[in-house]
Amino acid sequence: MTTVNWGFGPAKLTWLAASADIDLNNVTSVHGYLLHNNQLAIVQNKRKGFEIPGGHVEKGETLEASLRREALEEACVTIEKPKLLGFVEVNNSKNPEFPDDSPYPKVGYLAFFCADIRELLPFSAEFETSHRQFIEPSSLPKAHHAWNSVFQQSLENLSQQVNIGD
């Protein structure tokens, strides 16, 4: 578990296995470890810095469809064989600063997937990303703009699930 401040004051983050019994209606975003030749795609968010591709789940969209859309929009790739790795629980239930009218639930989830890249398309900085690159998975903690211990758990889960080189 770790604590972050993502705009509403302190929130507690906890890694949960893919088998966790959660309300999927409270999954607010998806994030993907997208693999190509044993390297991860990362994108530079125009406002934040480098991160793995991902974003908000749109109304009526499945988690897998959301991941496919975000991979295409942010990294300009198509993916295949998406596999749910787990969830990051974002718990604001004890945060007195959390607004009652927030569009986010007090306890929400970020879904983390891994997937193979099927096709690399020409990169276009059409949405919120300005650059795409590929790195060794072990380099991600230094490259990511907001790496934390819970994200590290998701990366460790990736290496347990998928045969990737260091």
Side-chain angles (χ1 to χ4, degrees), residues 68 81 111 147-148 157:
R68 289 179 187 281
K81 302 182 211 165
W147 198 252
N148 62 55
N157 190 273

Side-chain angles (χ1 to χ4, degrees), residues 95-117:
N95 178 357
E97 299 174 42
F98 192 80
D100 291 334
D101 61 349
S102 172
Y104 299 103
K106 278 197 174 185
V107 179
Y109 303 93
L110 316 177
F112 278 74
F113 287 83
C114 65
D116 292 331
I117 293 175

Side-chain angles (χ1 to χ4, degrees), residues 21 28 33 74 94 100 108 113 117 139 157:
D21 184 23
T28 60
Y33 291 112
E74 292 191 357
K94 294 187 179 176
D100 291 334
F113 287 83
I117 293 175
S139 300
N157 190 273

Side-chain angles (χ1 to χ4, degrees), residues 7 9 29 35 38-39 50 78 82 84 97 103 106 110 115 119 121-122 130 136 141:
S29 66
L35 297 160
N38 283 334
Q39 293 196 317
F50 279 101
T78 62
L84 180 64
E97 299 174 42
K106 278 197 174 185
L110 316 177
E119 184 180 13
L121 303 170
S130 60
E136 296 295 324

